[in-house]
Amino acid sequence: MNKITFDKFDFSKFRDNPVVTDSKIAEFYSICGDNVYLLPRGEKAKSFEQIEALCSWFLSKNLSKDGTIVAVGGGSIGDTVGFAASIYKRGVNVLHVPTTLIAQVDSSIGGKTAIDLDGVKNAVGSYHFGDTLIDFDFLKTLDDAQRLSGLGEIIKYAMLDAQVAKLFFEGKGLNDVIYACVNCKQSICNADPYCNGERNKLNFGHTIGHALELSYGIPHGVAVANGIYYETLLASQLGKCDKAYADKWMGTVAAKFKIYPLTKDVLQLTLHDKKNADGKVCFMLPSSFERFYLTLEKIEEILLND
């Protein structure tokens, strides 16, 4: 699980490696050639159909066990390519080149891969640890919506890590904030690579966040920010954090993001969360960020009648 940073990504250095990206990124950065495979953009990439086609392409390219696949793109590209790399010949090397803010601060680090199944986000996946090449030049091309999405995960890290919070509230440069987020995640993943303990805290905001993402079709980071808002409210109502703490972080989210309404249908989707056990929904609630289980009825009672 290494973190690699370059001053500028140079596609010519990787022409001999299979490169997987999408059409928009390929066109924008002139990534072309026989060794380039284009996946659909966004969540459409994350399916068994795409995995089968991608692995067939690896086979057609005679990709060997010691080969390296270069995944250039956002979180969906990284998730899909990482999963394909984990199962092709029982695992080949992968180099992640995240092109979005949210991928740079979060999804490209730590080795989690996943695809969607039957409308459930990240229902099938694996752990497959690769390297990450972070090039800040990619961020110059992002629009405001993509930057906002990345901010959702940054706020999560600010709640988890004092150094990230300090840089965030002081308004330090984005590059410094990204480094701090990556170092935070890398440290947590190194200590608990397979999510048996401390790493679970990285799921904060994602239980409700994933449900909102599927319900409203909103970007992942926007959904996570909303999940942070509601899960912090939940923690406050349960006495897991004090009101001042909850007001600070809920106010931080509400100042940057539209807050989407919760409904019974949205909360019903939390029953599919991978962390759940014994028919109860699992949350990583602040400020301890330890696992906490609630029935769906209790969640509805607190959040729908607040």
Side-chain angles (χ1 to χ4, degrees):
M1 290 185 291
N2 297 319
K3 171 169 65 76
I4 301 176
T5 58
F6 278 30
D7 292 328
K8 180 160 180 58
F9 174 68
D10 183 356
F11 169 64
S12 66
K13 295 180 180 179
F14 302 96
R15 288 188 186 278
D16 293 333
N17 297 90
V19 175
V20 184
T21 186
D22 66 43
S23 58
K24 184 175 181 179
I25 295 170
E27 180 179 3
F28 196 91
Y29 293 103
S30 299
I31 301 175
C32 57
D34 292 339
N35 261 13
V36 178
Y37 187 94
L38 302 182
L39 282 168
R41 288 180 61 76
E43 291 294 311
K44 292 180 180 179
K46 297 173 60 171
S47 71
F48 275 114
E49 180 183 11
Q50 296 299 330
I51 291 295
E52 181 179 7
L54 186 53
C55 287
S56 293
W57 184 72
F58 293 159
L59 197 62
S60 74
K61 293 299 177 184
N62 297 313
L63 179 63
S64 61
K65 175 72 174 176
D66 61 352
T68 298
I69 305 158
V70 182
V72 184
S76 295
I77 294 291
D79 278 350
T80 305
V81 178
F83 183 60
S86 76
I87 60 174
Y88 179 77
K89 296 191 175 179
R90 297 195 179 96
V92 293
N93 301 318
V94 62
L95 171 64
H96 293 283
V97 184
T99 59
T100 62
L101 178 57
I102 196 168
Q104 289 195 359
V105 300
D106 185 69
S107 63
S108 67
I109 306 294
K112 279 189 176 181
T113 80
I115 58 172
D116 304 336
L117 180 65
D118 295 339
V120 178
K121 187 174 174 65
N122 297 340
V124 179
S126 62
Y127 289 92
H128 190 60
F129 303 104
D131 289 333
T132 304
L133 183 161
I134 294 177
D135 179 2
F136 296 133
D137 280 349
F138 283 117
L139 303 181
K140 299 174 183 177
T141 69
L142 300 184
D143 59 27
D144 290 343
Q146 290 170 318
R147 287 178 175 270
L148 183 66
S149 183
L151 181 60
E153 289 284 3
I154 288 173
I155 291 174
K156 180 190 78 176
Y157 285 107
M159 293 183 71
L160 293 173
D161 184 83
Q163 178 63 17
V164 177
K166 180 176 183 293
L167 294 172
F168 175 75
F169 284 113
E170 289 179 352
K172 295 297 184 183
L174 184 57
N175 293 6
D176 291 336
V177 173
I178 292 171
Y179 268 122
C181 290
V182 169
N183 287 334
C184 173
K185 182 167 188 180
Q186 193 74 60
S187 175
I188 291 170
C189 293
N190 283 343
D192 179 25
Y194 295 105
C195 237
N196 293 316
E198 184 181 7
R199 183 168 177 169
N200 287 308
K201 66 177 63 173
L202 297 175
N203 290 310
F204 170 53
H206 286 64
T207 301
I208 292 178
H210 279 159
L212 288 163
E213 184 176 355
L214 288 169
S215 296
Y216 291 104
I218 54 180
H220 178 71
V222 174
V224 168
N226 274 257
I228 288 170
Y229 180 93
Y230 284 116
E231 291 178 24
T232 302
L233 174 61
L234 188 62
S236 177
Q237 295 292 344
L238 291 167
K240 295 294 180 180
C241 64
D242 61 43
K243 187 176 185 302
Y245 175 96
D247 287 347
K248 172 185 175 180
W249 289 108
M250 290 171 65
T252 297
V253 172
K256 300 288 186 181
F257 293 88
K258 173 184 176 180
I259 303 302
Y260 288 79
L262 284 183
T263 66
K264 282 181 174 285
D265 287 342
V266 171
L267 290 178
Q268 185 75 25
L269 293 175
T270 64
L271 293 174
H272 297 297
D273 193 276
K274 297 183 295 296
K275 304 182 297 298
N276 295 351
D278 297 327
K280 294 182 178 181
V281 181
C282 180
F283 295 93
M284 310 304 298
L285 295 180
S287 57
S288 66
F289 299 102
E290 296 176 348
R291 284 191 175 191
F292 192 81
Y293 294 90
L294 288 168
T295 63
L296 180 62
E297 291 74 20
K298 186 64 174 179
I299 301 165
E300 291 176 346
E301 177 188 329
I302 295 172
L303 294 180
L304 299 185
N305 299 315
D306 180 63

